[in-house]
Short mmCIF file of all heavy atoms in Angstrom, two decimals:
data_model
loop_
_atom_site.label_atom_id
_atom_site.label_comp_id
_atom_site.label_asym_id
_atom_site.label_seq_id
_atom_site.Cartn_x
_atom_site.Cartn_y
_atom_site.Cartn_z
N PHE A 243 -14.18 5.51 -32.83
CA PHE A 243 -15.41 5.56 -33.60
C PHE A 243 -15.98 4.22 -33.86
O PHE A 243 -17.17 4.08 -33.88
CB PHE A 243 -14.93 6.20 -34.93
CG PHE A 243 -16.17 6.55 -35.78
CD1 PHE A 243 -17.00 7.58 -35.51
CD2 PHE A 243 -16.33 5.86 -37.08
CE1 PHE A 243 -18.11 7.90 -36.30
CE2 PHE A 243 -17.39 6.15 -37.90
CZ PHE A 243 -18.37 7.13 -37.53
N THR A 244 -15.19 3.29 -34.06
CA THR A 244 -15.70 1.78 -34.35
C THR A 244 -16.46 1.43 -33.02
O THR A 244 -17.56 0.79 -33.20
CB THR A 244 -14.63 0.94 -34.66
OG1 THR A 244 -13.89 1.38 -35.94
CG2 THR A 244 -15.12 -0.47 -34.98
N ALA A 245 -15.85 1.49 -31.92
CA ALA A 245 -16.54 1.05 -30.66
C ALA A 245 -17.82 1.74 -30.49
O ALA A 245 -18.84 1.24 -30.06
CB ALA A 245 -15.60 1.33 -29.54
N GLU A 246 -17.89 3.13 -30.82
CA GLU A 246 -19.17 3.86 -30.53
C GLU A 246 -20.15 3.42 -31.58
O GLU A 246 -21.42 3.32 -31.18
CB GLU A 246 -18.82 5.32 -30.75
CG GLU A 246 -19.99 6.19 -30.38
CD GLU A 246 -19.65 7.70 -30.43
OE1 GLU A 246 -18.43 8.03 -30.65
OE2 GLU A 246 -20.49 8.55 -30.36
N VAL A 247 -19.86 3.13 -32.78
CA VAL A 247 -20.88 2.63 -33.76
C VAL A 247 -21.40 1.29 -33.34
O VAL A 247 -22.63 1.07 -33.33
CB VAL A 247 -20.21 2.53 -35.15
CG1 VAL A 247 -21.20 1.74 -36.07
CG2 VAL A 247 -19.84 3.90 -35.68
N VAL A 248 -20.59 0.39 -32.83
CA VAL A 248 -21.11 -0.92 -32.26
C VAL A 248 -21.85 -0.71 -31.01
O VAL A 248 -23.03 -1.39 -30.91
CB VAL A 248 -19.83 -1.82 -31.96
CG1 VAL A 248 -20.21 -3.16 -31.41
CG2 VAL A 248 -19.06 -2.08 -33.30
N TYR A 249 -21.51 0.24 -30.18
CA TYR A 249 -22.36 0.53 -28.96
C TYR A 249 -23.71 0.92 -29.32
O TYR A 249 -24.69 0.36 -28.70
CB TYR A 249 -21.58 1.61 -28.15
CG TYR A 249 -22.35 2.01 -26.91
CD1 TYR A 249 -22.07 1.36 -25.64
CD2 TYR A 249 -23.22 3.13 -27.03
CE1 TYR A 249 -22.72 1.92 -24.58
CE2 TYR A 249 -23.89 3.48 -25.82
CZ TYR A 249 -23.64 2.86 -24.57
OH TYR A 249 -24.37 3.28 -23.59
N PHE A 250 -23.81 1.93 -30.23
CA PHE A 250 -25.14 2.43 -30.57
C PHE A 250 -25.95 1.40 -31.41
O PHE A 250 -27.26 1.38 -31.27
CB PHE A 250 -25.14 3.68 -31.40
CG PHE A 250 -24.73 4.89 -30.50
CD1 PHE A 250 -23.55 5.42 -30.54
CD2 PHE A 250 -25.60 5.30 -29.50
CE1 PHE A 250 -23.16 6.62 -29.76
CE2 PHE A 250 -25.30 6.41 -28.67
CZ PHE A 250 -24.11 6.95 -28.85
N ALA A 251 -25.38 0.51 -32.12
CA ALA A 251 -26.05 -0.67 -32.80
C ALA A 251 -26.66 -1.65 -31.79
O ALA A 251 -27.76 -2.00 -31.86
CB ALA A 251 -25.16 -1.31 -33.73
N VAL A 252 -25.82 -1.98 -30.83
CA VAL A 252 -26.40 -2.88 -29.67
C VAL A 252 -27.53 -2.23 -28.98
O VAL A 252 -28.57 -2.86 -28.70
CB VAL A 252 -25.22 -3.29 -28.71
CG1 VAL A 252 -25.75 -4.04 -27.61
CG2 VAL A 252 -24.22 -4.03 -29.46
N ARG A 253 -27.38 -0.95 -28.69
CA ARG A 253 -28.48 -0.28 -28.06
C ARG A 253 -29.80 -0.23 -28.82
O ARG A 253 -30.92 -0.40 -28.32
CB ARG A 253 -28.08 1.33 -27.72
CG ARG A 253 -29.14 2.02 -26.89
CD ARG A 253 -28.77 3.39 -26.52
NE ARG A 253 -28.68 4.33 -27.68
CZ ARG A 253 -28.64 5.65 -27.61
NH1 ARG A 253 -28.37 6.21 -26.52
NH2 ARG A 253 -28.71 6.31 -28.75
N GLU A 254 -29.72 -0.08 -30.09
CA GLU A 254 -30.77 -0.19 -30.98
C GLU A 254 -31.46 -1.64 -31.04
O GLU A 254 -32.68 -1.76 -30.98
CB GLU A 254 -30.54 0.13 -32.41
CG GLU A 254 -31.67 0.23 -33.44
CD GLU A 254 -32.69 1.28 -33.19
OE1 GLU A 254 -32.35 2.20 -32.51
OE2 GLU A 254 -33.71 1.18 -33.69
N LEU A 255 -30.62 -2.64 -31.00
CA LEU A 255 -31.10 -4.02 -30.85
C LEU A 255 -31.91 -4.18 -29.59
O LEU A 255 -32.79 -4.91 -29.50
CB LEU A 255 -29.86 -4.89 -31.05
CG LEU A 255 -29.27 -4.98 -32.28
CD1 LEU A 255 -27.96 -5.88 -32.30
CD2 LEU A 255 -30.19 -5.64 -33.43
N LEU A 256 -31.25 -3.67 -28.41
CA LEU A 256 -31.86 -3.83 -27.12
C LEU A 256 -33.28 -3.13 -27.07
O LEU A 256 -34.24 -3.51 -26.57
CB LEU A 256 -31.05 -3.37 -26.06
CG LEU A 256 -29.67 -4.17 -25.87
CD1 LEU A 256 -28.91 -3.68 -24.70
CD2 LEU A 256 -29.85 -5.69 -25.75
N ARG A 257 -33.26 -1.95 -27.74
CA ARG A 257 -34.55 -1.19 -27.75
C ARG A 257 -35.58 -1.92 -28.66
O ARG A 257 -36.80 -2.05 -28.21
CB ARG A 257 -34.38 0.22 -28.33
CG ARG A 257 -33.62 1.18 -27.49
CD ARG A 257 -33.40 2.47 -28.11
NE ARG A 257 -32.81 3.48 -27.16
CZ ARG A 257 -32.47 4.61 -27.60
NH1 ARG A 257 -32.63 5.07 -28.84
NH2 ARG A 257 -31.90 5.54 -26.70
N ASN A 258 -35.17 -2.45 -29.76
CA ASN A 258 -36.14 -3.33 -30.47
C ASN A 258 -36.68 -4.56 -29.69
O ASN A 258 -37.86 -4.91 -29.75
CB ASN A 258 -35.43 -3.76 -31.75
CG ASN A 258 -35.44 -2.76 -32.76
OD1 ASN A 258 -36.12 -1.65 -32.61
ND2 ASN A 258 -34.82 -2.88 -33.89
N ALA A 259 -35.74 -5.23 -29.00
CA ALA A 259 -36.07 -6.37 -28.14
C ALA A 259 -37.04 -5.98 -26.96
O ALA A 259 -38.18 -6.58 -26.78
CB ALA A 259 -34.91 -6.95 -27.57
N ARG A 260 -36.76 -4.82 -26.44
CA ARG A 260 -37.74 -4.36 -25.35
C ARG A 260 -39.13 -4.10 -25.94
O ARG A 260 -40.17 -4.29 -25.24
CB ARG A 260 -37.12 -3.17 -24.65
CG ARG A 260 -37.98 -2.55 -23.58
CD ARG A 260 -37.27 -1.30 -23.02
NE ARG A 260 -36.99 -0.30 -23.87
CZ ARG A 260 -36.26 0.81 -23.69
NH1 ARG A 260 -35.73 0.94 -22.47
NH2 ARG A 260 -36.01 1.79 -24.59
N LYS A 261 -39.12 -3.53 -27.11
CA LYS A 261 -40.42 -3.01 -27.63
C LYS A 261 -41.25 -4.07 -28.39
O LYS A 261 -42.49 -4.01 -28.33
CB LYS A 261 -40.18 -1.88 -28.59
CG LYS A 261 -41.39 -0.99 -29.09
CD LYS A 261 -40.97 0.13 -29.89
CE LYS A 261 -42.23 1.03 -30.29
NZ LYS A 261 -41.89 2.16 -31.03
N TYR A 262 -40.57 -5.02 -28.99
CA TYR A 262 -41.31 -5.84 -29.89
C TYR A 262 -41.24 -7.37 -29.60
O TYR A 262 -42.03 -8.16 -30.06
CB TYR A 262 -40.84 -5.69 -31.45
CG TYR A 262 -40.84 -4.26 -31.89
CD1 TYR A 262 -39.92 -3.47 -32.14
CD2 TYR A 262 -42.22 -3.80 -32.19
CE1 TYR A 262 -40.11 -2.24 -32.59
CE2 TYR A 262 -42.35 -2.50 -32.70
CZ TYR A 262 -41.29 -1.79 -32.94
OH TYR A 262 -41.49 -0.45 -33.40
N ALA A 263 -40.13 -7.85 -28.75
CA ALA A 263 -39.89 -9.17 -28.62
C ALA A 263 -41.03 -9.78 -27.78
O ALA A 263 -41.28 -11.06 -27.84
CB ALA A 263 -38.66 -9.38 -27.84
N ARG A 264 -41.80 -9.13 -26.99
CA ARG A 264 -42.87 -9.69 -26.17
C ARG A 264 -44.25 -9.85 -27.03
O ARG A 264 -45.28 -10.47 -26.54
CB ARG A 264 -43.29 -8.88 -25.02
CG ARG A 264 -42.20 -8.84 -23.80
CD ARG A 264 -42.56 -8.03 -22.65
NE ARG A 264 -41.67 -8.33 -21.52
CZ ARG A 264 -40.55 -7.62 -21.38
NH1 ARG A 264 -40.18 -6.61 -22.20
NH2 ARG A 264 -39.69 -7.85 -20.33
N GLY A 265 -44.27 -9.40 -28.29
CA GLY A 265 -45.48 -9.55 -29.13
C GLY A 265 -46.77 -8.91 -28.65
O GLY A 265 -47.75 -9.50 -28.78
N GLY A 266 -46.60 -7.85 -27.89
CA GLY A 266 -47.82 -7.16 -27.33
C GLY A 266 -48.16 -7.59 -25.94
O GLY A 266 -49.13 -7.04 -25.32
N ASP A 267 -47.64 -8.64 -25.39
CA ASP A 267 -47.84 -9.22 -24.06
C ASP A 267 -46.94 -8.58 -23.06
O ASP A 267 -45.73 -9.12 -22.96
CB ASP A 267 -47.75 -10.73 -24.09
CG ASP A 267 -48.17 -11.28 -22.65
OD1 ASP A 267 -48.63 -10.55 -21.84
OD2 ASP A 267 -48.05 -12.66 -22.61
N ALA A 268 -47.37 -7.57 -22.28
CA ALA A 268 -46.46 -6.90 -21.40
C ALA A 268 -45.95 -7.78 -20.30
O ALA A 268 -44.90 -7.52 -19.70
CB ALA A 268 -47.02 -5.59 -20.95
N GLN A 269 -46.64 -8.92 -20.05
CA GLN A 269 -46.46 -9.76 -18.85
C GLN A 269 -45.45 -10.92 -19.35
O GLN A 269 -45.11 -11.68 -18.35
CB GLN A 269 -47.59 -10.21 -18.20
CG GLN A 269 -48.58 -9.18 -17.74
CD GLN A 269 -47.97 -8.14 -16.83
OE1 GLN A 269 -47.19 -8.57 -15.90
NE2 GLN A 269 -48.26 -6.90 -16.91
N ARG A 270 -45.14 -11.01 -20.48
CA ARG A 270 -44.38 -12.09 -20.97
C ARG A 270 -42.89 -11.93 -20.46
O ARG A 270 -42.29 -10.95 -20.62
CB ARG A 270 -44.29 -12.18 -22.49
CG ARG A 270 -43.48 -13.31 -23.07
CD ARG A 270 -43.29 -13.13 -24.53
NE ARG A 270 -42.36 -14.18 -25.08
CZ ARG A 270 -42.71 -15.13 -25.85
NH1 ARG A 270 -44.01 -15.41 -26.20
NH2 ARG A 270 -41.89 -16.04 -26.31
N PRO A 271 -42.43 -13.11 -19.79
CA PRO A 271 -40.95 -13.07 -19.47
C PRO A 271 -40.02 -12.94 -20.68
O PRO A 271 -40.29 -13.63 -21.72
CB PRO A 271 -40.79 -14.43 -18.66
CG PRO A 271 -42.08 -14.88 -18.39
CD PRO A 271 -43.01 -14.35 -19.46
#
């Protein structure tokens, strides 16, 4: 259960990075 909670928390962090880290510039590395 602990490993699964950590797994989904990391997935949420990666989704946020994919969606917001470029600041609206889709071509930004």
Side-chain angles (χ1 to χ4, degrees):
F243 186 71
T244 302
E246 186 173 352
V247 170
V248 174
Y249 175 90
F250 285 113
V252 173
R253 188 178 71 170
E254 181 69 16
L255 291 170
L256 297 183
R257 286 178 174 176
N258 280 350
R260 176 179 62 186
K261 189 173 182 179
Y262 300 110
R264 289 185 171 87
D267 183 7
Q269 304 303 321
R270 177 190 175 107

